[in-house]
Amino acid sequence: MPLLSICIPAYNRPEWLKRAILSILTTPIEQQHQVELIVSDDSTIPACKQIVDELIVNWHGKHHYCQNTPSLGMAGNWNHCIQIASGEYVLILHDDDYLEAEAPGKILETLQQHPNESALLFGVNVVTSKQHIQKQQVVSELEQLNPEKALQHLLTDSSFIRFPGMVVRRNVFQEIGYFDKAIGGIADIQLWLRICQACGLLRVPITTANYTVHDGALTMNMFNPDVVKGLDQIFEDVQSQQWLSSEVLEKCKANYFHQFILAGTVRYIRAWNLNKAIEVFNLLDQIKLQSNQLKFKWKLVKSVLAIFLSLFNDSG
């Protein structure tokens, strides 16, 4: 049994899929038997399979390619990756993300050093489509978070967990369930929540992956009333389960939603879609938040954006 399954849910992005697979091929040959490479392909074009066929000849470990007909959908494809994996641990690498050079070897070494951990969060670079680093998201030292602390981090920072940084023991999914296909784009957040509550989290001071932000990313469609309503329901569920105190949860909620919505506003400003930026910014009015719990930086960003967008409205 491989120690690690690296799973790529692919969909109609052959050039980026090629980059993702090539990053896995940096695994030293002597370690490739410990890594399983999986591509679960939802594509409607043949180019992705052609890329896999071209590159897999250079891989000496276990591998599996699956063409999904009909397509399984986003969360369904994530689940399929996990369900066909045979490794002890699973890493889901989206086809528009990629690993750092020699990252698989560093991940394997970390897993061997911490055999009792069920969920590990490695560092990631947030990069543009041209691979320019926008942000480095990594801790300076090893940090063990118990379930309560892990939940507080997750529910305060809307970008706390990024997919390619997360490595989870496969049997955790069998015990607590998979991504919920019924809730759409927030299925990842809801699953991270369950994992943090069940296992806590080990934060590892090693950057292993690059998370790509671009106009075609699925996350660009996240900033809408339905998603905000779904996220609000997640906070209500946490409250009903009494996983965190009401005071702590209200503070988390105020900062989470401001970070999430203000980040979406900035994304659309950068794309120079100012009408959409205003629409996203106004999502803050959709939910009840305690402003006295808000960090100063979000108060400042909110004020600056409000002024900027009002100037645009006035000029229009």
Side-chain angles (χ1 to χ4, degrees):
M1 182 176 69
L3 181 60
L4 175 67
S5 293
I6 302 179
C7 306
I8 305 176
Y11 183 72
N12 288 352
R13 296 191 282 209
E15 288 306 311
W16 275 346
L17 174 62
K18 183 175 183 178
R19 181 180 68 175
I21 294 175
L22 286 173
S23 73
I24 299 172
L25 295 183
T26 64
T27 308
I29 290 178
E30 63 273 14
Q31 291 181 310
Q32 289 185 10
H33 70 281
Q34 296 180 278
V35 179
E36 178 181 37
L37 195 167
I38 289 176
V39 178
S40 179
D41 191 3
D42 253 19
S43 298
T44 58
I45 57 176
C48 289
K49 184 180 188 305
Q50 292 167 4
I51 289 292
V52 175
D53 291 341
E54 170 192 334
L55 297 179
I56 206 67
V57 296
N58 299 311
W59 181 250
H60 300 273
K62 190 173 182 179
H63 59 86
H64 187 83
Y65 170 84
C66 185
Q67 175 68 61
N68 304 323
T69 305
S71 298
L72 301 174
M74 182 182 67
N77 202 13
W78 297 345
N79 289 337
H80 189 238
C81 281
I82 301 166
Q83 290 161 353
I84 63 177
S86 64
E88 186 176 350
Y89 292 84
V90 173
L91 186 162
I92 296 178
L93 183 71
H94 286 161
D95 57 3
D96 56 349
D97 299 330
Y98 58 102
L99 298 177
E100 285 282 273
E102 302 179 359
K106 294 177 182 178
I107 295 171
L108 290 172
E109 182 179 350
T110 303
L111 295 177
Q112 291 162 348
Q113 291 172 346
H114 302 278
N116 296 321
E117 297 297 330
S118 294
L120 303 91
L121 181 62
F122 291 83
V124 300
N125 295 321
V126 180
V127 301
T128 68
S129 58
K130 296 182 179 180
Q131 300 183 195
H132 297 149
I133 295 176
Q134 287 185 336
K135 177 182 178 182
Q136 294 178 310
Q137 192 170 319
V138 62
V139 290
S140 58
E141 59 184 11
L142 200 69
E143 184 179 13
Q144 182 76 61
L145 300 179
N146 63 25
E148 182 177 356
K149 286 295 184 183
L151 286 175
Q152 286 185 42
H153 278 280
L154 179 67
L155 295 174
T156 299
D157 181 351
S158 64
S159 61
F160 176 59
I161 293 179
R162 298 192 187 272
F163 252 102
M166 195 70 166
V167 178
V168 181
R169 194 181 294 272
R170 185 164 51 89
N171 64 8
V172 170
F173 298 104
Q174 297 166 348
E175 293 169 3
I176 70 170
Y178 296 85
F179 295 100
D180 185 350
K181 295 183 288 184
I183 60 175
I186 60 172
D188 56 336
I189 300 163
Q190 198 248 21
L191 182 56
W192 305 148
L193 182 80
R194 286 185 277 137
I195 289 173
C196 286
Q197 170 60 22
C199 310
L201 201 60
L202 181 69
R203 301 183 73 185
V204 183
I206 301 172
T207 298
T208 56
N210 296 278
Y211 175 90
T212 307
V213 177
H214 57 94
D215 291 345
L218 293 174
T219 51
M220 286 296 287
N221 300 318
M222 291 283 288
F223 308 104
N224 63 68
D226 288 339
V227 167
V228 169
K229 183 178 179 180
L231 290 171
D232 197 21
Q233 183 61 52
I234 285 177
F235 278 86
E236 290 184 14
D237 292 343
V238 172
Q239 185 171 27
S240 66
Q241 295 288 340
Q242 297 183 336
W243 287 344
L244 295 173
S245 70
S246 296
E247 181 181 355
V248 169
L249 191 59
E250 285 299 330
K251 184 175 183 180
C252 292
K253 182 177 178 180
N255 288 284
Y256 184 97
F257 276 102
H258 275 82
Q259 180 181 355
F260 175 73
I261 292 171
L262 296 177
T265 304
V266 170
R267 282 201 193 185
Y268 281 105
I269 290 174
R270 284 177 173 167
W272 208 240
N273 188 344
L274 298 186
N275 288 320
K276 184 65 176 179
I278 292 171
E279 182 182 321
V280 173
F281 184 78
N282 289 336
L283 290 173
L284 285 170
D285 298 330
Q286 182 178 319
I287 47 178
K288 183 179 180 181
L289 301 172
Q290 294 188 10
S291 58
N292 63 328
Q293 300 281 12
L294 197 58
K295 293 179 180 178
F296 174 75
K297 67 176 180 179
W298 300 131
K299 291 181 181 180
L300 179 61
V301 172
K302 182 180 180 181
S303 297
V304 171
L305 290 177
I307 293 170
F308 175 82
L309 294 173
S310 66
L311 290 174
F312 168 73
N313 257 344
D314 292 342
S315 65

